[in-house]
Amino acid sequence: MWQKFFTEEQNMIRELTRKFTVEKIIPVRQELDENEEFPWELVKEMAKLDLFRIFIPEQYDGLGGGVLDLAIVVEEMAKGCAGVATTYAANALAAFPIILYGTEEQKRKYLPPIANGEKLAAFALTEPEAGSDAGNVKTRAVREGDYYIITGRKQWITNGGEADIYVVIASTNPDRGARGLSAFIMEKGMKGFDFGKKEKKMGIRASATRELIFDEVKVPKENLLGRENLGFMIAMRTFDHARPGVGALAVGIAEAALEEAVKFAKTRYQFGQPISSFEGIQFMIAEMATKIEAARSLVYMVSKYIDSGERDISKYSAMAKLFASDVAMEVTTKAVQIMGGYGYMREYPVEKMMRDAKITQIYEGTNEIQKLVIAAKLIREIV
């Protein structure tokens, strides 16, 4: 339905990504998942197809697409493998703060290699003691002349170790808590910048997740994003732009799971007839499909709203991520249920989809945090 409202270019992007997903991602998704292998070959293919250019402004070698264009690509890619889609989306997550707050020099230095697919990017906020509580960030940045000396650790960073460009949130004024955070652009290879082990995860196993370790890393003052103590706002604004992408990823997982469940129900016979003829199964399918369409509509409308230039977007962005990820978890669980024992086996992709769906309720702010964002905004608005 939504393709009727897309531009001709957006429909071309959608078809291009769909073809890439069917021909390149789906044939290797099980292998990537079981081997927990980072999809470097697929990343190279994405670069050849100019998919990394989509969310980068034209003046920095991009195609000038917005949040909606990104959502279209992420949804289609997630229908094949959420781990691969997460690898792709993490680039946008890290590019957004540079696009939104970078100086002209920073944009010209860092955005073209992201657009060209030459370098991957990662965004680093979470720490062992600072997840939902961003004000508890312990990573410290101390100004010394023309440099900031950064010491600390970041945890569960998507694309960690694989990326070359990192946007890192560190504390420049610990006494001010969240209001004392700043954002820095860091590069792989800086002296004192190291990585922990690759994490073993329930889902999105093709995506790399690692700890970042900073041991008195010297970062040029020119790598400060925005200004000192603006880091919390930069992080929150970044999430406002990125969360619809998580919603799109969740929609893609759910859509793929629904398709697998329906195909199975049409060919699985019990009591002399396909289980798709049973009213109970039909009701489940109808509810799954309706919720997916509702989630997709919310994600796409919020994406268009952000692209329109509106700045009051936090509530709607949180809603898109919250609703779509909950739908993905519900739909994948029902898909496994429809397929019964088959759905529980690794031979069938819905088992992987159910594992993958869970992370959409957790990363880029847990769904409990999304509810707090939504409620706080409503309480301020309604008088």
Side-chain angles (χ1 to χ4, degrees):
M1 177 181 71
W2 260 94
Q3 59 266 33
K4 298 292 184 182
F5 301 95
F6 293 156
T7 64
E8 182 179 351
E9 185 178 56
Q10 287 169 338
N11 274 314
M12 288 175 60
I13 289 170
R14 180 172 173 265
E15 289 304 318
L16 175 69
T17 310
R18 175 174 290 182
K19 188 173 187 290
F20 169 66
T21 298
V22 171
E23 295 181 359
K24 300 293 184 179
I25 298 178
I26 291 177
V28 299
R29 67 181 174 191
Q30 185 175 4
E31 179 184 352
L32 291 174
D33 181 69
E34 291 191 359
N35 295 336
E36 303 186 26
E37 180 183 344
F38 190 79
W40 270 117
E41 290 305 313
L42 294 177
V43 168
K44 293 174 184 176
E45 288 292 330
M46 293 176 203
K48 289 179 183 177
L49 294 173
D50 289 333
L51 292 178
F52 290 118
R53 297 186 193 277
I54 286 169
F55 50 84
I56 302 294
E58 292 180 2
Q59 59 268 44
Y60 309 110
D61 293 350
L63 294 175
V67 175
L68 178 58
D69 302 74
L70 176 65
I72 291 169
V73 173
V74 171
E75 181 189 339
E76 291 302 324
M77 209 175 283
K79 291 176 183 177
C81 176
V84 174
T86 296
T87 298
Y88 173 81
N91 255 2
L93 175 65
F96 278 138
I98 301 175
I99 293 169
L100 294 169
Y101 293 94
T103 63
E104 186 62 24
E105 291 74 18
Q106 289 170 341
K107 291 176 182 179
R108 292 198 177 279
K109 179 177 181 180
Y110 292 108
L111 293 180
I114 294 175
N116 298 333
E118 298 169 13
K119 294 183 177 181
L120 289 177
F123 182 81
L125 170 63
T126 304
E127 299 184 1
E129 296 180 23
S132 299
D133 180 12
N136 203 31
V137 164
K138 303 297 184 187
T139 297
R140 187 81 167 91
V142 179
R143 177 75 179 267
E144 289 187 7
D146 292 336
Y147 294 88
Y148 285 89
I149 308 301
I150 297 182
T151 302
R153 292 173 179 262
K154 294 294 178 181
Q155 190 176 46
W156 300 324
I157 305 305
T158 303
N159 286 353
E162 310 294 339
D164 293 290
I165 300 167
Y166 295 80
V167 174
V168 177
I169 306 298
S171 177
T172 43
N173 191 338
D175 293 336
R176 297 187 64 191
R179 295 180 180 275
L181 301 180
S182 300
F184 299 89
I185 304 173
M186 299 180 66
E187 298 178 43
K188 185 178 182 179
M190 284 180 166
K191 186 177 179 181
F193 183 3
D194 204 353
F195 305 96
K197 66 179 177 64
K198 185 177 179 180
E199 301 290 353
K200 301 182 75 67
K201 307 187 294 291
M202 174 194 291
I204 58 165
R205 292 176 178 172
S207 167
T209 305
R210 286 187 178 88
E211 182 182 38
L212 311 186
I213 303 168
F214 311 117
D215 183 10
E216 297 187 351
V217 183
K218 289 180 67 175
V219 178
K221 63 178 176 34
E222 291 80 13
N223 285 33
L224 174 69
L225 264 178
R227 62 176 187 272
E228 275 198 13
N229 305 324
L230 197 67
F232 182 76
M233 191 177 84
I234 290 174
M236 295 305 104
R237 196 72 181 162
T238 295
F239 287 140
D240 285 346
H241 282 73
R243 280 170 177 159
V246 178
L249 196 150
V251 169
I253 296 171
E255 181 69 35
L258 173 64
E259 290 177 5
E260 292 292 333
V262 171
K263 286 189 291 186
F264 180 87
K266 291 167 66 176
T267 57
R268 173 64 169 166
Y269 276 70
Q270 291 288 279
F271 308 105
Q273 54 189 313
I275 64 172
S276 61
S277 66
F278 299 156
E279 186 179 74
I281 298 297
Q282 291 178 356
F283 282 5
M284 289 174 69
I285 289 171
E287 291 171 358
M288 292 157 71
T290 302
K291 289 183 179 180
I292 290 170
E293 287 301 336
R296 180 180 288 116
S297 294
L298 179 58
V299 167
Y300 285 171
M301 282 305 299
V302 170
S303 298
K304 285 178 69 69
Y305 185 68
I306 295 171
D307 289 340
S308 74
E310 291 287 341
R311 293 190 59 81
D312 190 14
I313 59 177
S314 298
K315 176 180 68 177
Y316 301 112
S317 180
M319 286 177 174
K321 193 267 190 189
L322 168 67
F323 185 71
S325 60
D326 282 349
V327 166
M329 198 67 243
E330 179 182 345
V331 167
T332 55
T333 301
K334 286 184 175 179
V336 170
Q337 189 69 23
I338 288 171
M339 296 177 66
Y342 291 95
Y344 200 69
M345 299 298 125
R346 290 188 184 180
E347 183 179 350
Y348 293 83
V350 293
E351 175 269 341
K352 173 185 182 299
M353 293 168 185
M354 183 177 174
R355 288 188 284 107
D356 288 344
K358 186 60 195 174
I359 192 61
T360 64
Q361 295 179 311
I362 298 172
Y363 60 11
E364 292 192 35
T366 66
N367 280 9
E368 289 70 30
I369 290 297
Q370 307 313 309
K371 292 174 184 177
L372 289 176
V373 170
I374 296 164
K377 186 67 175 175
L378 286 169
I379 291 167
R380 288 195 299 269
E381 288 176 343
I382 298 175
V383 293

